Amino acid sequence: MNNTNDNLLFFEQIARGDKDAFDAFFERYYPKLVQFALLFVDSRPQAEDVVADVLVNMLIHRERVFLLAHFEAYLYASVKKKAFSAIKKQARVSYYPQQPQNVKQLTATAAGPHELLVEQELRATIQEVIQHFPPRRKMVFQFIREDGLSYRQVADLMEISERTVEVHLKLAIKTLRQEIERYLSHEETKKTAQSLMKNLAPLLLFCFPF
């Protein structure tokens, strides 16, 4: 696997679900990725956790990720991003050691059974809408919303213009906004709209940025 064509074939095999190809990929890249992660985190166990999380996520989304034109650049960028995320999470836990339990208690007391049911239904609706996006639009949305990439990074990975990325994202947000508004307009969900806006703030603010 010493040239670009061999690598592309290798990654295509993984995208199709070839277990032997992924095993070979793991053996080849895992040590290098751990060493790379160690540039950002403090310990080898933490670096190994970072790399494991990235590889598991990539395996889940292998049909999309392993066919990227600049897959290796995306791979290392994902490890770097995950490492920084792990550092921030560790800092939050150190500064607020009781926060997870408190947050859990607040959520339990603030949301009743009906609110939780409506929230779950809305989340399911949103995921269904995303799953039915056209392939390129779905990919753009996932890269920006889920992976936190910039327009420029997405444009490079998908070999399209930043303007095209912007158009795909705007269409995705428009569709999601329409579905959220339609769902929240139902009489039975109007009463829980306020709590939904709080519980789903990150996604709703993404769809309603203004």
Side-chain angles (χ1 to χ4, degrees):
M1 307 269 176
N2 294 321
N3 57 53
T4 301
N5 289 334
D6 286 339
N7 280 337
L8 291 176
L9 178 60
F10 184 42
F11 297 146
E12 286 174 3
Q13 290 173 333
I14 298 172
R16 292 196 299 269
D18 188 321
K19 183 180 181 301
D20 290 337
F22 182 79
D23 289 344
F25 165 81
F26 185 89
E27 291 294 328
R28 178 181 177 187
Y29 281 91
Y30 181 79
K32 294 189 292 185
L33 292 174
V34 170
Q35 288 301 121
F36 180 69
L38 280 169
L39 296 174
F40 310 103
V41 299
D42 297 329
S43 67
R44 186 173 185 85
Q46 190 176 21
E48 291 175 347
D49 286 344
V50 165
V51 174
D53 285 346
V54 169
L55 293 182
V56 167
N57 185 65
M58 287 188 167
L59 186 58
I60 292 173
H61 301 288
R62 63 179 181 275
E63 294 179 357
R64 167 171 64 93
V65 174
F66 280 92
L67 295 180
L68 293 171
H70 303 283
F71 167 73
E72 288 182 307
Y74 175 72
L75 175 62
Y76 280 92
S78 297
V79 171
K80 181 178 179 180
K81 180 175 180 291
K82 189 68 177 179
F84 283 139
S85 177
I87 292 170
K88 290 179 181 178
K89 182 178 180 181
Q90 185 178 33
R92 286 197 301 270
V93 171
S94 299
Y95 194 76
Y96 299 108
Q98 301 301 319
Q99 185 178 12
Q101 183 178 356
N102 292 341
V103 169
K104 184 176 181 180
Q105 291 173 346
L106 287 172
T107 303
T109 56
H114 178 66
E115 286 81 1
L116 291 174
L117 177 62
V118 173
E119 180 183 337
Q120 290 172 359
E121 289 177 348
L122 180 54
R123 286 182 182 275
T125 298
I126 291 171
Q127 289 304 315
E128 183 177 359
V129 173
I130 294 173
Q131 291 304 315
H132 285 86
F133 282 160
R136 279 184 172 270
R137 189 177 308 169
K138 179 180 177 182
M139 188 177 293
V140 167
F141 183 85
Q142 289 176 321
F143 277 143
I144 293 178
R145 175 68 183 92
E146 298 177 9
D147 298 330
L149 300 186
S150 67
Y151 284 19
R152 178 74 268 164
Q153 289 172 317
V154 176
D156 289 341
L157 288 170
M158 297 180 64
E159 297 187 318
I160 57 179
S161 69
E162 289 186 61
R163 174 59 180 163
T164 302
V165 171
E166 182 182 3
V167 170
H168 276 301
L169 185 62
K170 284 185 175 180
L171 289 173
I173 291 175
K174 179 181 179 181
T175 302
L176 279 173
R177 182 188 295 133
Q178 290 172 342
E179 289 300 317
I180 292 172
E181 288 176 341
R182 181 188 62 78
Y183 185 87
L184 294 180
S185 69
H186 291 174
E187 192 64 34
E188 63 270 21
T189 60
K190 282 183 179 179
K191 295 180 181 179
T192 58
Q194 186 174 0
S195 63
L196 283 171
M197 293 298 287
K198 293 178 181 179
N199 295 337
L200 295 176
L203 180 54
L204 293 176
L205 286 175
F206 188 77
C207 296
F208 298 89
F210 303 112

